[in-house]
Amino acid sequence: MAVKPPTGSVTIEDVAREAGVSRAAVSKVIRNAYGVSPAMKARVSEAIEKLGYRPSVSARGMRGATFTVGFEIPELSNPFFPKLLAGATAAMSGSPYQLIIAPADPAHAEGYRAIQALVDRQVDGVIAVSPLVDPEWLEALAATVPVVMIGRHDRSVAYDTVVGDDEAGAGQVMRHLLDLGHKDIVHLTPAAGMIGVDSGVPQAIRLDVYRRAMQDADLGDRIRVVRTGNGESESRRAALQLLAEPDRPTAVFAAHDEPALGVLHAVADAGLTPAEVSVAGYDDIEIAAHPGISLTTVNQDGERMGRLAAELLLERIAGRSAPRHEVVRPELVVRTSTRPPRPRGGAARLRALGRT
Amino acid sequence: MAVKPPTGSVTIEDVAREAGVSRAAVSKVIRNAYGVSPAMKARVSEAIEKLGYRPSVSARGMRGATFTVGFEIPELSNPFFPKLLAGATAAMSGSPYQLIIAPADPAHAEGYRAIQALVDRQVDGVIAVSPLVDPEWLEALAATVPVVMIGRHDRSVAYDTVVGDDEAGAGQVMRHLLDLGHKDIVHLTPAAGMIGVDSGVPQAIRLDVYRRAMQDADLGDRIRVVRTGNGESESRRAALQLLAEPDRPTAVFAAHDEPALGVLHAVADAGLTPAEVSVAGYDDIEIAAHPGISLTTVNQDGERMGRLAAELLLERIAGRSAPRHEVVRPELVVRTSTRPPRPRGGAARLRALGRT
DNA sequence: CACACGTCGTAGACCGATCTACAAGAGGTG
DNA sequence: CACCTCTTGTAGATCGGTCTACGACGTGTG
């Protein structure tokens, strides 16, 4: 067996008695602090081993560090988030720090509660993915404990950030669609309530880029934004309605891969294929590469983002106070869900003629 | 703002001073224990509110409960596990308990480390999905803290279990494939090292059911088991080799949906479709229902399993000591990735004739 | 030989809560 | 009016570590 079985509650006191030394001595050994003779270290280590002693993190937390970092995350269902976690876990793997994850219960005040729960547990640092929490609140938080935020475009001096270049990523998607010849491009994005007013959440930026790209291509009058929840099923429903309209769009740019999957689903449900309606997403979740899906999307390298966040946090914990803001360059991945638009007959063509 | 900003470190002492009462009084109020007059409660609550006081979980943990339950989980990349978490989070949502998740770092002793980390942090209970940890170790653990294991078929009196009926689920898959007329059915399962010897892990049972079903159908000589890692890419490679063989199987039964996706991927890569090679999985992850995938699989209702596990754990924490073992009934979901086998020419037909 | 110094180990305060035991005061009863 | 009981609040020990201050014990130096 790799590990000793957990033994009821052996305290530092027990170890001290067993080794015939003081509590302080044992404490020194386990922290390998200065002032320990090899002989004593050996005796104490032996006692620890024999009794299966494990220091209580709670007791430790009362004075010093807990060697725990907290990762707050909204919904695990979107496969992009586990990528962040995987990256962070890997980066943390060598360090003495343990990662614990607090899921933000969507039923409760989005993020706040989960982050609070971590802080209450005396974590030595926090990584969070809550784009909606108030900047001032975060500043106050960051004054208490090192904080790294993922996916925020604001630049506080109090906390670090890791974020993808959504401007560039969304720009690439729009250029791609426009280059293919699409003009009726709909943007699918989370409901307004889910995007803070100019909070700089990624979705808000993607939306903005969409609008500007359409304007710049002289398609300002064809701008159309559909709001829907995250998750496949909601977006599928929304897309079904959209596709049933007489002059349906020729392309849909979804703010994330999950809703994009919903749109693809709807396209299939409506008896259509990407040849009729192109679909693009954002994140490049693993399944997007599957031949049955083959979704054009933007790769953000979530693992790298998670790794970066963990590294920044460890630096902060180690003492750095100057803020750092890392931007990860995204990359368009073209697959078969986006194709040139097919010329259509009837109403759409007439409308197009009437306009030009 | 929904929540007060985190204020440095307000202790119970500060609150007591502010309200002009003793520490013990404040403690009583926050635990809403007996012996508090409405007047004092009001004064104290006001002080708590005013100072933004939050009790330290570490300090609490030193004597009593931490109101924290730990969830150990291997790899988040398989979308089935987040389902468990979602269920547990939902079930916990009403209770005063906070869920924290410890990812089992695959680089380190599988599960042990993560579970230990949780116990070190004084959680009031543990839910774990480590099918490989030693039963004796678990018994020792369960003597210390309430434990619920997910996906184990052993029945200890020390800990509760929540598990799918893999016998039934795998049986349904095999019956389905055999009914369709398949004879050359390959089973894809994790490498032997990943399945403990008769530890009763789900994969071992599915494998066993596969073997017996083949025997019972007089296809004992066509039994073929391919070992591969979890994850899409490994199984995809393995499947590509398999499909390149002269007499490739007509159906593949994968022990999980993730490897099943890999097989589907390989089928497409090889220029084939499920009409030539049927594929079945297990778990019914969300994407399986997507028309581009349409994977026949077994629904396990992961959310329900997570919810059950959380409920059992809360019961244990509340004092129950008699063990409970919940079995969730799985259900075959037939989609288009499984179809009747096509008669083939050449070698395969000759071989078949020679046998019969 | 007295003194300073470096090394090793210990005593005890301290962190922030909980919880037991007890005291003070209010109200009821014979 | 003494006595009992019930309610309400407090003092102080306690949990298991960390950390500072200090003492004891060689060793080297003038």
Side-chain angles (χ1 to χ4, degrees):
Chain A
M1 199 180 325
V3 189
K4 276 221 168 187
T7 7
S9 50
V10 181
T11 75
I12 203 172
E13 181 83 49
D14 302 322
V15 176
R17 199 177 315 115
E18 172 77 22
V21 296
S22 70
R23 293 193 335 267
V26 178
S27 177
K28 276 188 181 180
V29 170
I30 60 186
R31 288 174 295 136
N32 62 74
Y34 174 83
V36 187
S37 67
M40 189 182 80
K41 175 162 183 169
R43 278 229 311 286
V44 170
S45 301
E46 199 180 335
I48 288 177
E49 190 67 24
K50 181 176 167 192
L51 302 179
Y53 166 73
R54 308 227 79 209
S56 149
V57 173
S58 289
R60 277 193 159 163
M62 303 239 10
R63 290 200 68 112
T66 54
F67 295 99
T68 307
V69 318
F71 200 134
E72 179 267 351
I73 206 151
E75 52 162 351
L76 274 308
S77 58
N78 180 340
F80 180 67
F81 295 120
K83 277 198 201 176
L84 297 174
L85 288 174
T89 306
M92 218 70 100
S93 174
S95 82
Y97 290 87
Q98 166 72 31
L99 187 72
I100 67 175
I101 303 159
D105 181 353
H108 291 78
E110 164 76 34
Y112 290 104
R113 218 185 91 107
I115 296 178
Q116 269 295 0
L118 290 171
V119 174
D120 290 347
R121 279 157 189 78
Q122 305 266 73
V123 293
D124 296 336
V126 172
I127 303 175
V129 199
S130 276
L132 294 185
V133 304
D134 185 83
E136 286 181 39
W137 190 84
L138 278 182
E139 304 256 349
L141 174 70
T144 310
V145 60
V147 174
V148 178
M149 298 298 302
I150 297 183
R152 286 181 74 106
H153 286 270
D154 57 352
R155 293 177 166 243
S156 164
V157 293
Y159 50 87
D160 299 337
T161 58
V162 174
V163 69
D165 187 344
D166 292 288
E167 186 89 25
Q172 286 180 56
V173 171
M174 288 307 294
R175 195 164 321 119
H176 169 64
L177 291 175
L178 292 168
D179 283 355
L180 283 175
H182 288 282
K183 300 200 190 310
D184 284 307
I185 307 173
V186 167
H187 186 52
L188 209 69
T189 192
M194 306 178 83
I195 304 189
V197 194
D198 90 338
S199 61
V201 304
Q203 297 87 332
I205 294 184
R206 293 170 200 168
L207 168 59
D208 203 47
V209 169
Y210 161 76
R211 284 217 177 95
R212 291 205 316 265
M214 291 294 276
Q215 297 279 11
D216 293 352
D218 256 344
L219 298 169
D221 53 342
R222 309 220 191 156
I223 288 176
R224 177 146 180 219
V225 176
V226 174
R227 306 272 179 177
T228 174
N230 287 318
E232 217 211 275
S233 50
E234 292 109 308
S235 65
R236 181 179 160 201
R237 263 195 301 276
L240 271 175
Q241 284 196 352
L242 197 62
L243 296 178
E245 295 178 4
D247 50 338
R248 55 164 193 261
T250 63
V252 177
F253 169 26
H256 287 293
D257 280 355
E258 277 223 280
L261 290 179
V263 176
L264 274 180
H265 201 146
V267 167
D269 286 348
L272 303 170
T273 74
E276 280 93 23
V277 181
S278 288
V279 180
Y282 206 109
D283 284 348
D284 196 19
I285 61 179
E286 203 175 350
I287 197 72
H290 198 282
I293 304 290
S294 191
L295 176 68
T296 294
T297 183
V298 177
N299 185 292
Q300 292 218 69
D301 202 345
E303 299 213 8
R304 173 138 183 271
M305 292 177 76
R307 189 154 27 83
L308 270 174
E311 286 166 6
L312 291 185
L313 188 63
L314 291 180
E315 281 179 27
R316 278 262 182 197
I317 292 175
R320 172 169 58 75
S321 60
R324 286 187 54 186
H325 301 281
E326 295 289 334
V327 177
V328 173
R329 219 163 54 79
E331 192 185 356
L332 180 69
V333 182
V334 177
R335 299 205 180 91
T336 62
S337 72
T338 47
R339 311 193 197 156
R342 252 192 216 165
R344 289 174 307 185
R349 187 175 307 234
L350 281 175
R351 199 194 54 167
L353 283 172
R355 278 232 178 84
T356 328
Chain B
M1 200 179 325
V3 189
K4 276 220 166 187
T7 6
S9 50
V10 180
T11 75
I12 203 172
E13 181 83 49
D14 302 323
V15 176
R17 199 177 317 114
E18 172 77 22
V21 296
S22 71
R23 294 194 332 270
V26 178
S27 177
K28 276 188 182 179
V29 170
I30 61 186
R31 288 174 294 135
N32 61 74
Y34 174 84
V36 189
S37 66
M40 187 182 81
K41 176 161 180 170
R43 279 230 309 288
V44 170
S45 301
E46 198 180 336
I48 288 177
E49 190 67 22
K50 179 176 170 192
L51 302 179
Y53 165 74
R54 307 228 80 211
S56 149
V57 174
S58 289
R60 277 191 160 165
M62 301 237 15
R63 294 203 63 120
T66 53
F67 295 98
T68 307
V69 317
F71 200 133
E72 179 267 353
I73 207 151
E75 50 161 353
L76 274 309
S77 58
N78 180 339
F80 180 68
F81 295 121
K83 278 199 200 174
L84 297 174
L85 288 174
T89 305
M92 218 71 99
S93 175
S95 81
Y97 289 86
Q98 167 72 31
L99 187 72
I100 65 175
I101 303 159
D105 182 354
H108 291 79
E110 164 75 35
Y112 290 103
R113 218 184 90 108
I115 296 179
Q116 269 296 359
L118 290 171
V119 174
D120 290 348
R121 279 156 188 78
Q122 305 265 72
V123 293
D124 295 336
V126 172
I127 302 176
V129 199
S130 276
L132 294 185
V133 304
D134 186 84
E136 286 181 38
W137 190 85
L138 277 182
E139 305 256 349
L141 174 71
T144 310
V145 60
V147 174
V148 177
M149 299 295 305
I150 296 182
R152 287 180 75 106
H153 286 270
D154 56 353
R155 292 175 167 247
S156 165
V157 293
Y159 51 87
D160 300 337
T161 58
V162 174
V163 69
D165 187 345
D166 293 287
E167 186 88 24
Q172 287 181 56
V173 172
M174 288 307 294
R175 197 164 320 120
H176 170 62
L177 291 175
L178 292 168
D179 284 354
L180 283 175
H182 289 281
K183 300 199 189 312
D184 284 307
I185 307 171
V186 166
H187 186 54
L188 209 70
T189 192
M194 305 178 83
I195 304 188
V197 194
D198 89 339
S199 60
V201 303
Q203 298 87 333
I205 294 184
R206 294 171 199 169
L207 168 59
D208 203 46
V209 169
Y210 161 77
R211 284 215 176 97
R212 290 206 314 265
M214 290 295 275
Q215 296 279 11
D216 293 352
D218 256 347
L219 299 169
D221 53 341
R222 310 220 191 155
I223 288 175
R224 177 145 180 219
V225 176
V226 174
R227 306 273 178 176
T228 174
N230 287 317
E232 218 211 274
S233 52
E234 292 110 308
S235 65
R236 181 179 161 201
R237 265 195 300 276
L240 271 175
Q241 283 196 355
L242 197 62
L243 296 178
E245 294 177 5
D247 50 338
R248 55 163 194 263
T250 63
V252 177
F253 170 26
H256 288 293
D257 280 355
E258 277 224 281
L261 290 179
V263 176
L264 274 180
H265 201 146
V267 167
D269 286 348
L272 303 170
T273 74
E276 280 93 25
V277 181
S278 289
V279 180
Y282 207 108
D283 284 347
D284 196 20
I285 61 179
E286 202 175 349
I287 197 71
H290 199 283
I293 304 290
S294 190
L295 176 68
T296 293
T297 183
V298 177
N299 184 292
Q300 292 217 68
D301 203 343
E303 299 215 9
R304 171 137 183 270
M305 292 177 77
R307 188 153 29 82
L308 270 174
E311 285 166 6
L312 291 184
L313 189 63
L314 292 181
E315 282 180 26
R316 279 262 182 196
I317 292 175
R320 172 168 59 75
S321 60
R324 287 187 53 186
H325 301 283
E326 295 289 336
V327 178
V328 173
R329 218 162 55 78
E331 192 184 355
L332 180 69
V333 181
V334 177
R335 298 203 181 91
T336 61
S337 72
T338 48
R339 310 193 197 158
R342 253 192 216 167
R344 286 175 309 186
R349 186 175 309 231
L350 280 174
R351 200 195 55 166
L353 283 171
R355 277 230 181 88
T356 329

